[in-house]
Amino acid sequence: MTQFYQPKLRLTQIMKEPGGKTVADAVTAATEAVGKLSDRAVVYVDQTLAQLDAAFAALPPAFEAQALAPIYQYANNLIGAASTARLVALDRTAYDFCDLVDRMSANGRWDRQAIKVYIDALHLFRRGDIGEAAVEGVTAGLKRVRQHYLAANTPAPKAG
């Protein structure tokens, strides 16, 4: 016989008690908590973007794999934090940027312009003052940048 564990939820307990929270009170409290978390996430995103800018400025002229590590880390730090800050396009772009930087590292070369385009897009999405159609256009352009870089760095097939 299979037994299932049913966890006791604190909110359910509070709501059942006389004088406990109403659903409306619980929703209001949760909304306020998420708002505070979102505000903190925006500050974190801004700080991380500043760190990303500094890491880009510090890139040496010639490829060094270890120089890409902070760029990857800062972009990775944006994933999730941007979503919490309600910056969904920034979150998705940070994920794609990590993929690009990871591939650059694996290929042993970088494309500074591609990195800069992604960083500029992250800043654009942080501002959040562009419409959905513009977001889609920028995202499509970023995808082309990534595909162009990947195509340029794909080894030719071996002759057979």
Side-chain angles (χ1 to χ4, degrees), residues 91-121:
D91 185 77
R92 285 189 219 131
T93 301
Y95 180 85
D96 290 343
F97 186 37
C98 283
D99 178 53
L100 177 68
V101 172
D102 186 47
R103 290 172 188 257
M104 287 180 180
S105 184
N107 290 336
R109 65 179 292 274
W110 57 38
D111 181 331
R112 294 174 78 87
Q113 190 59 37
I115 294 171
K116 180 69 172 137
V117 165
Y118 266 87
I119 292 172
D120 289 347

PDB file of all heavy atoms in Angstrom, residues 91-121:
ATOM      1  N   ASP A  91      16.544  38.708 -18.896  1.00  0.00           N
ATOM      2  CA  ASP A  91      16.814  37.361 -18.395  1.00  0.00           C
ATOM      3  C   ASP A  91      17.133  36.415 -19.551  1.00  0.00           C
ATOM      4  O   ASP A  91      18.131  35.703 -19.531  1.00  0.00           O
ATOM      5  CB  ASP A  91      15.599  36.868 -17.606  1.00  0.00           C
ATOM      6  CG  ASP A  91      15.837  35.533 -16.946  1.00  0.00           C
ATOM      7  OD1 ASP A  91      16.516  35.499 -15.914  1.00  0.00           O
ATOM      8  OD2 ASP A  91      15.326  34.511 -17.469  1.00  0.00           O
ATOM      9  N   ARG A  92      16.289  36.414 -20.565  1.00  0.00           N
ATOM     10  CA  ARG A  92      16.495  35.525 -21.724  1.00  0.00           C
ATOM     11  C   ARG A  92      17.781  35.874 -22.467  1.00  0.00           C
ATOM     12  O   ARG A  92      18.521  34.984 -22.903  1.00  0.00           O
ATOM     13  CB  ARG A  92      15.311  35.633 -22.687  1.00  0.00           C
ATOM     14  CG  ARG A  92      14.087  34.931 -22.197  1.00  0.00           C
ATOM     15  CD  ARG A  92      13.028  34.888 -23.288  1.00  0.00           C
ATOM     16  NE  ARG A  92      11.740  35.108 -22.658  1.00  0.00           N
ATOM     17  CZ  ARG A  92      10.832  35.967 -23.059  1.00  0.00           C
ATOM     18  NH1 ARG A  92      11.029  36.700 -24.118  1.00  0.00           N
ATOM     19  NH2 ARG A  92       9.695  36.099 -22.419  1.00  0.00           N
ATOM     20  N   THR A  93      18.055  37.174 -22.602  1.00  0.00           N
ATOM     21  CA  THR A  93      19.253  37.604 -23.315  1.00  0.00           C
ATOM     22  C   THR A  93      20.513  37.224 -22.538  1.00  0.00           C
ATOM     23  O   THR A  93      21.510  36.818 -23.138  1.00  0.00           O
ATOM     24  CB  THR A  93      19.190  39.122 -23.576  1.00  0.00           C
ATOM     25  OG1 THR A  93      18.012  39.391 -24.356  1.00  0.00           O
ATOM     26  CG2 THR A  93      20.415  39.623 -24.308  1.00  0.00           C
ATOM     27  N   ALA A  94      20.468  37.327 -21.225  1.00  0.00           N
ATOM     28  CA  ALA A  94      21.619  36.924 -20.405  1.00  0.00           C
ATOM     29  C   ALA A  94      21.916  35.441 -20.607  1.00  0.00           C
ATOM     30  O   ALA A  94      23.084  35.035 -20.694  1.00  0.00           O
ATOM     31  CB  ALA A  94      21.352  37.232 -18.935  1.00  0.00           C
ATOM     32  N   TYR A  95      20.867  34.631 -20.696  1.00  0.00           N
ATOM     33  CA  TYR A  95      21.043  33.189 -20.925  1.00  0.00           C
ATOM     34  C   TYR A  95      21.737  32.946 -22.271  1.00  0.00           C
ATOM     35  O   TYR A  95      22.706  32.180 -22.358  1.00  0.00           O
ATOM     36  CB  TYR A  95      19.683  32.491 -20.878  1.00  0.00           C
ATOM     37  CG  TYR A  95      19.771  31.009 -21.093  1.00  0.00           C
ATOM     38  CD1 TYR A  95      20.041  30.157 -20.036  1.00  0.00           C
ATOM     39  CD2 TYR A  95      19.601  30.465 -22.362  1.00  0.00           C
ATOM     40  CE1 TYR A  95      20.140  28.786 -20.235  1.00  0.00           C
ATOM     41  CE2 TYR A  95      19.696  29.099 -22.568  1.00  0.00           C
ATOM     42  CZ  TYR A  95      19.966  28.262 -21.505  1.00  0.00           C
ATOM     43  OH  TYR A  95      20.065  26.909 -21.710  1.00  0.00           O
ATOM     44  N   ASP A  96      21.250  33.598 -23.326  1.00  0.00           N
ATOM     45  CA  ASP A  96      21.857  33.433 -24.648  1.00  0.00           C
ATOM     46  C   ASP A  96      23.293  33.973 -24.674  1.00  0.00           C
ATOM     47  O   ASP A  96      24.164  33.414 -25.333  1.00  0.00           O
ATOM     48  CB  ASP A  96      21.021  34.152 -25.712  1.00  0.00           C
ATOM     49  CG  ASP A  96      19.688  33.476 -25.965  1.00  0.00           C
ATOM     50  OD1 ASP A  96      19.515  32.299 -25.576  1.00  0.00           O
ATOM     51  OD2 ASP A  96      18.802  34.132 -26.558  1.00  0.00           O
ATOM     52  N   PHE A  97      23.516  35.055 -23.949  1.00  0.00           N
ATOM     53  CA  PHE A  97      24.856  35.638 -23.870  1.00  0.00           C
ATOM     54  C   PHE A  97      25.824  34.652 -23.219  1.00  0.00           C
ATOM     55  O   PHE A  97      26.961  34.493 -23.678  1.00  0.00           O
ATOM     56  CB  PHE A  97      24.787  36.954 -23.105  1.00  0.00           C
ATOM     57  CG  PHE A  97      26.070  37.744 -23.062  1.00  0.00           C
ATOM     58  CD1 PHE A  97      26.936  37.793 -24.139  1.00  0.00           C
ATOM     59  CD2 PHE A  97      26.394  38.471 -21.933  1.00  0.00           C
ATOM     60  CE1 PHE A  97      28.107  38.544 -24.093  1.00  0.00           C
ATOM     61  CE2 PHE A  97      27.552  39.217 -21.866  1.00  0.00           C
ATOM     62  CZ  PHE A  97      28.416  39.253 -22.953  1.00  0.00           C
ATOM     63  N   CYS A  98      25.380  33.985 -22.177  1.00  0.00           N
ATOM     64  CA  CYS A  98      26.223  32.967 -21.533  1.00  0.00           C
ATOM     65  C   CYS A  98      26.605  31.878 -22.530  1.00  0.00           C
ATOM     66  O   CYS A  98      27.752  31.430 -22.562  1.00  0.00           O
ATOM     67  CB  CYS A  98      25.505  32.345 -20.338  1.00  0.00           C
ATOM     68  SG  CYS A  98      25.495  33.391 -18.874  1.00  0.00           S
ATOM     69  N   ASP A  99      25.645  31.464 -23.344  1.00  0.00           N
ATOM     70  CA  ASP A  99      25.917  30.448 -24.355  1.00  0.00           C
ATOM     71  C   ASP A  99      26.988  30.942 -25.333  1.00  0.00           C
ATOM     72  O   ASP A  99      27.939  30.224 -25.639  1.00  0.00           O
ATOM     73  CB  ASP A  99      24.627  30.095 -25.102  1.00  0.00           C
ATOM     74  CG  ASP A  99      24.857  29.073 -26.203  1.00  0.00           C
ATOM     75  OD1 ASP A  99      25.435  27.996 -25.913  1.00  0.00           O
ATOM     76  OD2 ASP A  99      24.470  29.342 -27.362  1.00  0.00           O
ATOM     77  N   LEU A 100      26.850  32.183 -25.770  1.00  0.00           N
ATOM     78  CA  LEU A 100      27.823  32.746 -26.701  1.00  0.00           C
ATOM     79  C   LEU A 100      29.216  32.819 -26.074  1.00  0.00           C
ATOM     80  O   LEU A 100      30.201  32.387 -26.676  1.00  0.00           O
ATOM     81  CB  LEU A 100      27.375  34.143 -27.146  1.00  0.00           C
ATOM     82  CG  LEU A 100      28.338  34.878 -28.080  1.00  0.00           C
ATOM     83  CD1 LEU A 100      28.400  34.188 -29.439  1.00  0.00           C
ATOM     84  CD2 LEU A 100      27.918  36.329 -28.236  1.00  0.00           C
ATOM     85  N   VAL A 101      29.296  33.341 -24.866  1.00  0.00           N
ATOM     86  CA  VAL A 101      30.595  33.483 -24.193  1.00  0.00           C
ATOM     87  C   VAL A 101      31.218  32.113 -23.934  1.00  0.00           C
ATOM     88  O   VAL A 101      32.426  31.921 -24.109  1.00  0.00           O
ATOM     89  CB  VAL A 101      30.452  34.293 -22.885  1.00  0.00           C
ATOM     90  CG1 VAL A 101      31.745  34.290 -22.083  1.00  0.00           C
ATOM     91  CG2 VAL A 101      30.033  35.726 -23.195  1.00  0.00           C
ATOM     92  N   ASP A 102      30.396  31.143 -23.562  1.00  0.00           N
ATOM     93  CA  ASP A 102      30.890  29.792 -23.336  1.00  0.00           C
ATOM     94  C   ASP A 102      31.483  29.214 -24.619  1.00  0.00           C
ATOM     95  O   ASP A 102      32.555  28.606 -24.601  1.00  0.00           O
ATOM     96  CB  ASP A 102      29.751  28.914 -22.817  1.00  0.00           C
ATOM     97  CG  ASP A 102      30.217  27.539 -22.419  1.00  0.00           C
ATOM     98  OD1 ASP A 102      31.231  27.432 -21.707  1.00  0.00           O
ATOM     99  OD2 ASP A 102      29.568  26.544 -22.826  1.00  0.00           O
ATOM    100  N   ARG A 103      30.814  29.433 -25.721  1.00  0.00           N
ATOM    101  CA  ARG A 103      31.324  28.928 -27.001  1.00  0.00           C
ATOM    102  C   ARG A 103      32.594  29.659 -27.424  1.00  0.00           C
ATOM    103  O   ARG A 103      33.493  29.059 -28.004  1.00  0.00           O
ATOM    104  CB  ARG A 103      30.252  29.023 -28.075  1.00  0.00           C
ATOM    105  CG  ARG A 103      29.132  28.025 -27.839  1.00  0.00           C
ATOM    106  CD  ARG A 103      27.981  28.264 -28.790  1.00  0.00           C
ATOM    107  NE  ARG A 103      26.845  27.462 -28.458  1.00  0.00           N
ATOM    108  CZ  ARG A 103      26.491  26.363 -29.111  1.00  0.00           C
ATOM    109  NH1 ARG A 103      27.221  25.931 -30.115  1.00  0.00           N
ATOM    110  NH2 ARG A 103      25.424  25.690 -28.759  1.00  0.00           N
ATOM    111  N   MET A 104      32.659  30.953 -27.140  1.00  0.00           N
ATOM    112  CA  MET A 104      33.883  31.695 -27.453  1.00  0.00           C
ATOM    113  C   MET A 104      35.062  31.116 -26.678  1.00  0.00           C
ATOM    114  O   MET A 104      36.141  30.923 -27.225  1.00  0.00           O
ATOM    115  CB  MET A 104      33.717  33.184 -27.113  1.00  0.00           C
ATOM    116  CG  MET A 104      32.838  33.938 -28.058  1.00  0.00           C
ATOM    117  SD  MET A 104      32.714  35.677 -27.562  1.00  0.00           S
ATOM    118  CE  MET A 104      31.644  36.303 -28.843  1.00  0.00           C
ATOM    119  N   SER A 105      34.817  30.838 -25.414  1.00  0.00           N
ATOM    120  CA  SER A 105      35.864  30.263 -24.583  1.00  0.00           C
ATOM    121  C   SER A 105      36.299  28.901 -25.119  1.00  0.00           C
ATOM    122  O   SER A 105      37.488  28.610 -25.216  1.00  0.00           O
ATOM    123  CB  SER A 105      35.365  30.147 -23.145  1.00  0.00           C
ATOM    124  OG  SER A 105      36.387  29.680 -22.315  1.00  0.00           O
ATOM    125  N   ALA A 106      35.328  28.087 -25.491  1.00  0.00           N
ATOM    126  CA  ALA A 106      35.629  26.750 -26.013  1.00  0.00           C
ATOM    127  C   ALA A 106      36.374  26.822 -27.346  1.00  0.00           C
ATOM    128  O   ALA A 106      37.223  25.981 -27.631  1.00  0.00           O
ATOM    129  CB  ALA A 106      34.344  25.946 -26.165  1.00  0.00           C
ATOM    130  N   ASN A 107      36.053  27.836 -28.157  1.00  0.00           N
ATOM    131  CA  ASN A 107      36.694  27.978 -29.467  1.00  0.00           C
ATOM    132  C   ASN A 107      38.066  28.641 -29.385  1.00  0.00           C
ATOM    133  O   ASN A 107      38.791  28.680 -30.367  1.00  0.00           O
ATOM    134  CB  ASN A 107      35.813  28.793 -30.418  1.00  0.00           C
ATOM    135  CG  ASN A 107      34.575  28.048 -30.835  1.00  0.00           C
ATOM    136  OD1 ASN A 107      34.533  26.822 -30.807  1.00  0.00           O
ATOM    137  ND2 ASN A 107      33.537  28.775 -31.208  1.00  0.00           N
ATOM    138  N   GLY A 108      38.397  29.200 -28.234  1.00  0.00           N
ATOM    139  CA  GLY A 108      39.708  29.824 -28.073  1.00  0.00           C
ATOM    140  C   GLY A 108      39.849  31.153 -28.786  1.00  0.00           C
ATOM    141  O   GLY A 108      40.952  31.569 -29.130  1.00  0.00           O
ATOM    142  N   ARG A 109      38.727  31.836 -29.013  1.00  0.00           N
ATOM    143  CA  ARG A 109      38.783  33.178 -29.601  1.00  0.00           C
ATOM    144  C   ARG A 109      37.505  33.909 -29.260  1.00  0.00           C
ATOM    145  O   ARG A 109      36.508  33.305 -28.915  1.00  0.00           O
ATOM    146  CB  ARG A 109      39.012  33.141 -31.107  1.00  0.00           C
ATOM    147  CG  ARG A 109      37.899  32.522 -31.922  1.00  0.00           C
ATOM    148  CD  ARG A 109      38.188  32.529 -33.417  1.00  0.00           C
ATOM    149  NE  ARG A 109      38.197  33.847 -34.005  1.00  0.00           N
ATOM    150  CZ  ARG A 109      37.116  34.483 -34.452  1.00  0.00           C
ATOM    151  NH1 ARG A 109      35.939  33.915 -34.362  1.00  0.00           N
ATOM    152  NH2 ARG A 109      37.209  35.674 -34.994  1.00  0.00           N
ATOM    153  N   TRP A 110      37.574  35.203 -29.320  1.00  0.00           N
ATOM    154  CA  TRP A 110      36.381  35.978 -29.040  1.00  0.00           C
ATOM    155  C   TRP A 110      36.110  36.972 -30.150  1.00  0.00           C
ATOM    156  O   TRP A 110      36.971  37.272 -30.970  1.00  0.00           O
ATOM    157  CB  TRP A 110      36.446  36.689 -27.717  1.00  0.00           C
ATOM    158  CG  TRP A 110      37.621  37.624 -27.501  1.00  0.00           C
ATOM    159  CD1 TRP A 110      38.206  38.461 -28.415  1.00  0.00           C
ATOM    160  CD2 TRP A 110      38.337  37.799 -26.302  1.00  0.00           C
ATOM    161  NE1 TRP A 110      39.237  39.143 -27.845  1.00  0.00           N
ATOM    162  CE2 TRP A 110      39.337  38.770 -26.538  1.00  0.00           C
ATOM    163  CE3 TRP A 110      38.242  37.256 -25.042  1.00  0.00           C
ATOM    164  CZ2 TRP A 110      40.226  39.187 -25.566  1.00  0.00           C
ATOM    165  CZ3 TRP A 110      39.117  37.683 -24.077  1.00  0.00           C
ATOM    166  CH2 TRP A 110      40.102  38.629 -24.339  1.00  0.00           C
ATOM    167  N   ASP A 111      34.919  37.449 -30.127  1.00  0.00           N
ATOM    168  CA  ASP A 111      34.484  38.499 -31.037  1.00  0.00           C
ATOM    169  C   ASP A 111      34.013  39.639 -30.141  1.00  0.00           C
ATOM    170  O   ASP A 111      32.919  39.594 -29.586  1.00  0.00           O
ATOM    171  CB  ASP A 111      33.351  37.968 -31.927  1.00  0.00           C
ATOM    172  CG  ASP A 111      32.863  39.004 -32.929  1.00  0.00           C
ATOM    173  OD1 ASP A 111      32.953  40.212 -32.641  1.00  0.00           O
ATOM    174  OD2 ASP A 111      32.363  38.597 -33.984  1.00  0.00           O
ATOM    175  N   ARG A 112      34.870  40.635 -29.981  1.00  0.00           N
ATOM    176  CA  ARG A 112      34.578  41.746 -29.066  1.00  0.00           C
ATOM    177  C   ARG A 112      33.287  42.467 -29.453  1.00  0.00           C
ATOM    178  O   ARG A 112      32.526  42.896 -28.593  1.00  0.00           O
ATOM    179  CB  ARG A 112      35.745  42.730 -29.044  1.00  0.00           C
ATOM    180  CG  ARG A 112      37.011  42.143 -28.456  1.00  0.00           C
ATOM    181  CD  ARG A 112      38.174  43.114 -28.598  1.00  0.00           C
ATOM    182  NE  ARG A 112      38.126  44.161 -27.616  1.00  0.00           N
ATOM    183  CZ  ARG A 112      38.653  44.065 -26.391  1.00  0.00           C
ATOM    184  NH1 ARG A 112      39.263  42.950 -26.038  1.00  0.00           N
ATOM    185  NH2 ARG A 112      38.577  45.050 -25.551  1.00  0.00           N
ATOM    186  N   GLN A 113      33.051  42.590 -30.754  1.00  0.00           N
ATOM    187  CA  GLN A 113      31.846  43.294 -31.197  1.00  0.00           C
ATOM    188  C   GLN A 113      30.595  42.523 -30.799  1.00  0.00           C
ATOM    189  O   GLN A 113      29.602  43.113 -30.369  1.00  0.00           O
ATOM    190  CB  GLN A 113      31.878  43.532 -32.720  1.00  0.00           C
ATOM    191  CG  GLN A 113      30.794  44.464 -33.193  1.00  0.00           C
ATOM    192  CD  GLN A 113      30.859  45.847 -32.536  1.00  0.00           C
ATOM    193  OE1 GLN A 113      31.929  46.398 -32.284  1.00  0.00           O
ATOM    194  NE2 GLN A 113      29.703  46.412 -32.244  1.00  0.00           N
ATOM    195  N   ALA A 114      30.618  41.212 -30.906  1.00  0.00           N
ATOM    196  CA  ALA A 114      29.465  40.400 -30.508  1.00  0.00           C
ATOM    197  C   ALA A 114      29.213  40.537 -29.002  1.00  0.00           C
ATOM    198  O   ALA A 114      28.062  40.647 -28.562  1.00  0.00           O
ATOM    199  CB  ALA A 114      29.686  38.937 -30.884  1.00  0.00           C
ATOM    200  N   ILE A 115      30.270  40.550 -28.232  1.00  0.00           N
ATOM    201  CA  ILE A 115      30.132  40.728 -26.778  1.00  0.00           C
ATOM    202  C   ILE A 115      29.512  42.091 -26.486  1.00  0.00           C
ATOM    203  O   ILE A 115      28.574  42.208 -25.698  1.00  0.00           O
ATOM    204  CB  ILE A 115      31.507  40.589 -26.075  1.00  0.00           C
ATOM    205  CG1 ILE A 115      32.028  39.158 -26.207  1.00  0.00           C
ATOM    206  CG2 ILE A 115      31.412  41.000 -24.609  1.00  0.00           C
ATOM    207  CD1 ILE A 115      33.472  38.977 -25.750  1.00  0.00           C
ATOM    208  N   LYS A 116      30.012  43.124 -27.147  1.00  0.00           N
ATOM    209  CA  LYS A 116      29.517  44.489 -26.927  1.00  0.00           C
ATOM    210  C   LYS A 116      28.043  44.612 -27.324  1.00  0.00           C
ATOM    211  O   LYS A 116      27.264  45.268 -26.623  1.00  0.00           O
ATOM    212  CB  LYS A 116      30.375  45.479 -27.722  1.00  0.00           C
ATOM    213  CG  LYS A 116      29.964  46.916 -27.564  1.00  0.00           C
ATOM    214  CD  LYS A 116      30.243  47.424 -26.165  1.00  0.00           C
ATOM    215  CE  LYS A 116      29.993  48.921 -26.091  1.00  0.00           C
ATOM    216  NZ  LYS A 116      29.290  49.320 -24.891  1.00  0.00           N
ATOM    217  N   VAL A 117      27.655  43.993 -28.404  1.00  0.00           N
ATOM    218  CA  VAL A 117      26.253  44.047 -28.848  1.00  0.00           C
ATOM    219  C   VAL A 117      25.345  43.441 -27.783  1.00  0.00           C
ATOM    220  O   VAL A 117      24.285  43.996 -27.467  1.00  0.00           O
ATOM    221  CB  VAL A 117      26.077  43.329 -30.207  1.00  0.00           C
ATOM    222  CG1 VAL A 117      24.620  43.052 -30.518  1.00  0.00           C
ATOM    223  CG2 VAL A 117      26.700  44.165 -31.320  1.00  0.00           C
ATOM    224  N   TYR A 118      25.759  42.331 -27.218  1.00  0.00           N
ATOM    225  CA  TYR A 118      24.952  41.699 -26.162  1.00  0.00           C
ATOM    226  C   TYR A 118      24.889  42.569 -24.908  1.00  0.00           C
ATOM    227  O   TYR A 118      23.829  42.714 -24.295  1.00  0.00           O
ATOM    228  CB  TYR A 118      25.488  40.297 -25.830  1.00  0.00           C
ATOM    229  CG  TYR A 118      24.769  39.227 -26.605  1.00  0.00           C
ATOM    230  CD1 TYR A 118      25.180  38.857 -27.874  1.00  0.00           C
ATOM    231  CD2 TYR A 118      23.643  38.596 -26.075  1.00  0.00           C
ATOM    232  CE1 TYR A 118      24.506  37.889 -28.595  1.00  0.00           C
ATOM    233  CE2 TYR A 118      22.971  37.627 -26.785  1.00  0.00           C
ATOM    234  CZ  TYR A 118      23.401  37.281 -28.046  1.00  0.00           C
ATOM    235  OH  TYR A 118      22.723  36.323 -28.756  1.00  0.00           O
ATOM    236  N   ILE A 119      26.004  43.143 -24.519  1.00  0.00           N
ATOM    237  CA  ILE A 119      26.006  44.005 -23.332  1.00  0.00           C
ATOM    238  C   ILE A 119      25.105  45.220 -23.561  1.00  0.00           C
ATOM    239  O   ILE A 119      24.324  45.601 -22.680  1.00  0.00           O
ATOM    240  CB  ILE A 119      27.442  44.412 -22.952  1.00  0.00           C
ATOM    241  CG1 ILE A 119      28.219  43.189 -22.461  1.00  0.00           C
ATOM    242  CG2 ILE A 119      27.437  45.514 -21.884  1.00  0.00           C
ATOM    243  CD1 ILE A 119      29.704  43.424 -22.230  1.00  0.00           C
ATOM    244  N   ASP A 120      25.189  45.809 -24.751  1.00  0.00           N
ATOM    245  CA  ASP A 120      24.320  46.953 -25.067  1.00  0.00           C
ATOM    246  C   ASP A 120      22.846  46.554 -25.006  1.00  0.00           C
ATOM    247  O   ASP A 120      22.012  47.311 -24.509  1.00  0.00           O
ATOM    248  CB  ASP A 120      24.660  47.522 -26.442  1.00  0.00           C
ATOM    249  CG  ASP A 120      25.994  48.258 -26.471  1.00  0.00           C
ATOM    250  OD1 ASP A 120      26.552  48.552 -25.382  1.00  0.00           O
ATOM    251  OD2 ASP A 120      26.487  48.524 -27.586  1.00  0.00           O
ATOM    252  N   ALA A 121      22.528  45.363 -25.496  1.00  0.00           N
ATOM    253  CA  ALA A 121      21.138  44.886 -25.461  1.00  0.00           C
ATOM    254  C   ALA A 121      20.678  44.669 -24.021  1.00  0.00           C
ATOM    255  O   ALA A 121      19.533  44.989 -23.678  1.00  0.00           O
ATOM    256  CB  ALA A 121      21.008  43.593 -26.263  1.00  0.00           C
TER     257      ALA A 121
END
